Amino acid sequence: MNWTFFQGLVSGVNKYSTAFGRIWLSVVFIFRLMVLLVAAEKVWGDEQKDFDCNTREPGCHNVCYDHFFPVSHSRLWALQLIFVTCPSLLVVLHVAYRDDRERKHQLKYGEGCTHLYQDTSKKRGGLWWTYLFSLIFKMSVDAIFIFLVFYIYEANFFPLLVRCNVPPCPHVTDCYIGRPTEKRIFTVFLVVISLVCILLTLCEILYLVCKRCHECVVSHKVNKPESQISTISSLASKHNQENMQDNLTASLLFYKLSISATLSSHSLRMERNTCGFFHI
């Protein structure tokens, strides 16, 4: 298994992580990867060879070993590490997609055009959801693997003696595990580290959500005065338009009244002149 690949994969997302994410990466590399590389593989080694039973019945040894250890601990931890680190690839690919999209936009419209993203690695929009999904997935994987450890091994962390009565064993067979105390210590240690990783991931999720909610509240407070100012301006403009319309209506009415008065006085004067003419 190429552990260097996983190290480079998780290290690539380090610059896109929060403070909790960087702590999580340190815990994964120091207390998981290094333990599996340096100690766990040597401690477990050839487990079936060190598994000894007090019978030489053909097949009994293999059946009892498979009954108590259906999956190798070291391989189970390695599989967990693979699934935990893979979501980091989603974040790296999403940032790479943003960089490529920004590059194509610059080539199409020129370097002086408006940027699609202020910062391609800034957790906004789709990248924020991708990062949140990766955290939820990592936390779920850790929880599932802790459950599998207790479910598969029935919370029986390497006792000194196990009793097997699975066919083809002719009777209850006593079997002994190689280095049980050392294996028990490493198993408990890795379970505790998984719980610590779950706690760190949960803290990071809460941090992301709370930070996003705070930004939304601040943005709403900033935009609210602007909206009030625009509303007041629109009302004032509407009021001015109504005043102008009223003034225009009053001016037209005054103009009509003045014309009517002028015409009335002119008609009255003509009538007087006519009466005077007939009187003469």
Side-chain angles (χ1 to χ4, degrees):
M1 183 176 292
N2 190 0
W3 294 102
T4 306
F5 168 74
F6 297 105
Q7 182 179 1
L9 173 63
V10 183
S11 298
V13 80
N14 182 50
K15 56 183 178 180
Y16 311 129
S17 302
T18 62
F20 291 104
R22 293 186 179 93
I23 297 174
W24 180 88
L25 287 173
S26 301
V27 171
V28 167
F29 278 113
I30 297 174
F31 297 105
R32 277 189 177 181
L33 185 61
M34 297 304 295
V35 167
L36 286 174
L37 286 175
V38 176
E41 291 185 353
K42 293 182 179 179
V43 169
W44 269 268
D46 190 358
E47 304 172 47
Q48 191 170 1
K49 183 180 179 181
D50 297 333
F51 189 80
D52 190 22
C53 298
N54 61 357
T55 182
R56 292 296 177 261
E57 182 72 22
C60 182
H61 177 272
N62 293 334
V63 170
C64 289
Y65 178 81
D66 185 71
H67 175 72
F68 288 104
F69 305 105
V71 181
S72 171
H73 276 70
S74 59
R75 294 180 180 89
L76 184 65
W77 298 123
L79 188 64
Q80 178 186 6
L81 188 61
I82 292 172
F83 279 103
V84 163
T85 53
C86 278
S88 301
L89 180 62
L90 294 176
V91 180
V92 175
L93 291 177
H94 199 146
V95 175
Y97 165 75
R98 281 187 165 190
D99 291 334
D100 183 66
R101 188 180 177 190
E102 183 68 32
R103 180 183 60 81
K104 291 180 179 179
H105 181 75
Q106 296 291 329
L107 290 175
K108 184 176 180 179
Y109 297 101
E111 296 183 357
C113 66
T114 305
H115 294 278
L116 294 175
Y117 309 98
Q118 294 181 354
D119 186 0
T120 56
S121 61
K122 195 171 184 180
K123 289 180 283 295
R124 292 291 183 275
L127 184 60
W128 187 88
W129 288 104
T130 301
Y131 194 85
L132 183 65
F133 170 76
S134 68
L135 295 178
I136 296 174
F137 185 84
K138 289 189 291 186
M139 186 173 63
S140 302
V141 167
D142 281 330
I144 291 173
F145 272 87
I146 291 176
F147 169 76
L148 288 177
V149 168
F150 286 90
Y151 178 77
I152 294 175
Y153 305 107
E154 299 177 354
N156 194 7
F157 288 164
F158 304 102
L160 299 177
L161 173 67
V162 292
R163 297 183 180 273
C164 176
N165 59 354
V166 182
C169 297
H171 50 78
V172 177
T173 304
D174 295 335
C175 297
Y176 304 91
I177 304 170
R179 298 189 295 271
T181 304
E182 191 174 12
K183 291 178 180 178
R184 186 185 309 117
I185 291 173
F186 275 103
T187 302
V188 173
F189 175 78
L190 289 174
V191 168
V192 172
I193 293 301
S194 297
L195 292 173
V196 171
C197 289
I198 290 176
L199 180 62
L200 289 173
T201 306
L202 181 61
C203 291
E204 189 171 10
I205 291 174
L206 294 176
Y207 170 76
L208 280 177
V209 174
C210 293
K211 183 180 179 182
R212 186 60 180 166
C213 292
H214 178 264
E215 290 176 352
C216 292
V217 170
V218 172
S219 177
H220 178 71
K221 289 182 179 180
V222 171
N223 294 331
K224 188 175 181 180
E226 295 179 357
S227 62
Q228 290 178 351
I229 292 173
S230 62
T231 303
I232 293 172
S233 300
S234 61
L235 291 175
S237 176
K238 184 177 180 181
H239 182 69
N240 291 333
Q241 291 178 358
E242 291 177 354
N243 289 337
M244 291 177 63
Q245 187 175 2
D246 292 340
N247 293 333
L248 180 61
T249 303
S251 299
L252 290 174
L253 182 60
F254 178 76
Y255 178 72
K256 289 180 179 180
L257 291 175
S258 62
I259 292 176
S260 299
T262 304
L263 292 175
S264 298
S265 61
H266 181 69
S267 299
L268 182 60
R269 189 178 304 168
M270 290 291 293
E271 289 178 358
R272 288 179 180 176
N273 292 335
T274 305
C275 292
F277 176 76
F278 283 105
H279 179 71
I280 295 172

